Amino acid sequence: MAAPLDDMFCRCADPGKASICVEVRFIDNVKGKGLFAKKPFKKGDTIFIEQPLVCAQFLWNALYKYRACDYCLRALETAEENARRLSGLPGLTLPHPELCKVRSELHQACPHCQVMYCSSECKQAAWEKYHQALCLGPSREDPDHPINKLQDAWRSAHYPPETSSIMLMARMVAIVKQAQDKGRWQRLFSHFCSRAANEQEEIAHKLLGEKFQGQLALLRNLFTTALYDDHLSQWFTPEGFRSLFALVGTNGQDFISFAFCFTETGDFLNCEGSGLYLLQSSCNHSCVPNAEASFPDNNFLLHLSALSDISPGEEICISYLDCCQRDRSRHSRHKILRENYLFVCSCQKCMSQMDDADVTSEEEDEVEGETEGDDMEDEMTDV
C-alpha cells in the first residue's frame, strides 16, 4: 500500500512534486516499507530535495569551534577562517576570497544565548520550532546546567568520529513541547524505525548491549532531568529511551557543510551533523545502490540523485555503507549492517556472493588488529 506523501512527508522541500515522483510502499514484514519510483529517472537526475524534520550539529565539531548555523548548519566561518583554524596559522591567507560564499553580514545571534544563525530567517525558524525550549540564556557556559551536563556526558561516551548527537533527541523533545499540534509531530516521528533489536534475526543494536548499560542509564537520567515532558513520558522510560536511541542511530543521516567547495558539483570534506529525513529514511539499503544522498547546497537540504537509470515501479535504494565499506567482503558488510541497522542484507550483490567464505576483509582485519585490547573499545564510537 502506498503512503500519502502530502501528509506524511509534509516537511519535504517540495512535497507536491515528490508525490508525483516517488511513493512509499509496504513491502513485507521483514523489509517493512520502501521507496519506489513513479516516473523514470536518468542517471544523474535529482529524484527529490528534502528538508529534515530535525537536525543537529555534532557536539565534538562544535567543541572544536567549527561554526555552523544552529538551524540549517550552513557554514558560518569563511574559507580563510576555516583554514586558519584547522592549520593553527592565524596569519594564513587564501587566494580568491571572492569565491567564498559565506555572507558574514547576514549572520545573527539569539539575543538570549548568543547561538549563531546564518540569517534572520533561520533564527526565527529555530525559535518557533524548538529553540525556546532549549535556549540556555546566560547559562550557556554554565557547566552545571542540565543540558550542558547532558552534552558533556554524550561527548564522554561518544568520541569522534561522530555519527549522531544526543541533541538530535533533545530537539525532538523540544519540537513536541513547542508544537501546538503535539500529536502530529509524535506521529511524524513514529514513522521512523525505532526497534532496538530484530528478534526474528536475533540481532541487537551493538550500542544497546550489556557493556553500554551504564552509559545509557547515565544519559537517560540526564536526559530526563534536562527535558522531561508529560506529553512524551514514554520516551523517558528505560525502554522508551532505548527505542529513541535506536531511532536516531538507525535513521540519522549524516550530512556535510563546509566553508568552501572543492569541485563545481559541490564536493565537501566535513561531516558536520545528523538529521532525520522522512523520505530518505524510507529508502532501503543495497550494496549496489541506484541512488545516493548529497548536500550540494552546503546546508541541511538533502538531494537524492540517481546513480543509474531507474524505471517506474523500481525500488529506490541507497547504501548505508560508505564506498570503502561496500568494497569489503560480504561477511564484513553483513557484520556492519547487523550491528548498526539490525538486518541481514539480501541485495543482488550479497546473493551473488552467498557461496563466498565467511571471512573478514583484509582491511577490517587490519583495523581490528590495531584496536584489539584498546582501552577505548567500550566507548560509543558509532551510533
Side-chain angles (χ1 to χ4, degrees):
M1 179 180 295
L5 295 181
D6 294 311
D7 178 40
M8 186 184 299
F9 303 111
C10 58
R11 303 304 295 182
C12 183
D14 189 346
K17 185 176 181 180
S19 65
I20 298 173
C21 299
V22 296
E23 66 180 3
V24 180
R25 299 180 193 167
F26 178 78
I27 300 175
D28 55 41
N29 291 325
V30 177
K31 294 187 71 174
K33 62 188 177 183
L35 191 69
F36 292 81
K38 293 178 66 177
K39 56 169 283 188
F41 294 100
K42 293 291 186 181
K43 180 180 179 180
D45 284 352
T46 297
I47 300 171
F48 61 76
I49 301 172
E50 184 178 12
Q51 178 177 326
L53 286 179
V54 60
C55 68
Q57 184 182 18
F58 292 145
L59 290 177
W60 278 102
N61 283 45
L63 188 67
Y64 289 149
K65 307 301 182 184
Y66 180 78
R67 295 188 288 114
C69 175
D70 197 57
Y71 182 70
C72 75
L73 270 72
R74 185 181 298 277
L76 296 181
E77 57 184 1
T78 65
E80 191 166 84
E81 289 170 339
N82 182 272
R84 288 174 175 176
R85 177 175 58 82
L86 293 177
S87 67
L89 301 174
L92 181 66
T93 300
L94 295 183
H96 306 295
E98 70 279 2
L99 297 179
C100 182
K101 298 181 179 179
V102 175
R103 302 282 303 278
S104 302
E105 71 275 11
L106 299 179
H107 298 173
Q108 294 198 11
C110 169
H112 310 289
C113 68
Q114 304 308 307
V115 162
M116 293 298 298
Y117 300 92
C118 67
S119 65
S120 60
E121 291 80 9
C122 277
K123 182 180 75 171
Q124 185 65 25
W127 184 257
E128 293 177 353
K129 189 173 182 180
Y130 59 79
H131 190 60
Q132 293 178 59
L134 296 176
C135 184
L136 301 186
S139 299
R140 185 183 178 194
E141 303 298 332
D142 180 3
D144 292 324
H145 190 283
I147 290 180
N148 286 333
K149 292 175 71 172
L150 176 65
Q151 293 180 351
D152 286 341
W154 174 262
R155 281 190 290 259
S156 297
H158 193 322
Y159 286 90
E162 290 179 273
T163 53
S164 189
S165 171
I166 195 72
M167 293 309 294
L168 200 61
M169 299 161 60
R171 288 187 179 183
M172 291 170 65
V173 172
I175 286 171
V176 177
K177 279 188 174 185
Q178 288 190 206
Q180 291 186 346
D181 188 350
K182 301 181 187 299
R184 170 180 172 270
W185 279 100
Q186 288 175 282
R187 289 192 299 273
L188 286 170
F189 289 134
S190 73
H191 287 295
F192 293 98
C193 173
S194 60
R195 62 182 180 176
N198 181 343
E199 290 82 5
Q200 184 173 349
E201 298 287 350
E202 297 184 351
I203 304 170
H205 197 287
K206 69 178 185 180
L207 294 185
L208 298 173
E210 290 184 3
K211 68 178 181 179
F212 294 125
Q213 290 309 300
Q215 294 171 324
L216 286 171
L218 173 62
L219 288 170
R220 186 180 73 84
N221 289 336
L222 292 171
F223 190 76
T224 302
T225 300
L227 299 160
Y228 183 80
D229 186 89
D230 286 336
H231 292 95
L232 295 169
S233 58
Q234 73 278 8
W235 285 0
F236 296 91
T237 65
E239 187 57 38
F241 186 74
R242 284 167 57 88
S243 295
L244 194 61
F245 201 90
L247 186 156
V248 299
T250 56
N251 295 278
Q253 167 66 52
D254 295 350
F255 56 88
I256 44 185
S257 66
F258 211 69
F260 52 95
C261 302
F262 292 90
T263 72
E264 292 182 357
T265 56
D267 296 329
F268 304 99
L269 289 181
N270 196 50
C271 190
E272 176 55 30
S274 181
L276 296 177
Y277 295 82
L278 276 173
L279 273 177
Q280 177 269 348
S281 70
S282 298
C283 293
N284 285 313
H285 164 82
S286 172
C287 296
V288 189
N290 58 10
E292 69 174 355
S294 63
F295 299 86
D297 295 321
N298 195 20
N299 62 8
F300 61 11
L301 289 179
L302 180 151
H303 293 235
L304 192 75
S305 303
L307 292 175
S308 59
D309 292 351
I310 300 174
S311 303
E314 183 178 349
E315 185 176 6
I316 299 171
C317 293
I318 60 175
S319 178
Y320 300 170
L321 307 173
D322 62 37
C323 57
C324 294
Q325 292 171 333
R326 292 200 296 272
D327 289 336
R328 293 181 178 179
S329 68
R330 177 177 180 270
H331 177 74
S332 294
R333 298 197 307 272
H334 280 205
K335 180 176 184 292
I336 297 169
L337 293 169
R338 284 196 309 269
E339 291 181 345
N340 294 284
Y341 300 101
L342 310 180
F343 73 93
V344 177
C345 183
S346 59
C347 73
Q348 180 182 0
K349 181 176 181 178
C350 287
M351 296 303 290
S352 70
Q353 297 175 343
M354 282 187 64
D355 294 331
D356 290 1
D358 284 340
V359 294
T360 305
S361 301
E362 292 181 4
E363 297 93 333
E364 189 169 299
D365 282 336
E366 293 174 1
V367 173
E368 289 181 349
E370 292 171 359
T371 59
E372 185 176 356
D374 195 302
D375 291 338
M376 301 296 292
E377 68 175 357
D378 287 344
E379 300 297 343
M380 294 180 172
T381 55
D382 195 11
V383 174

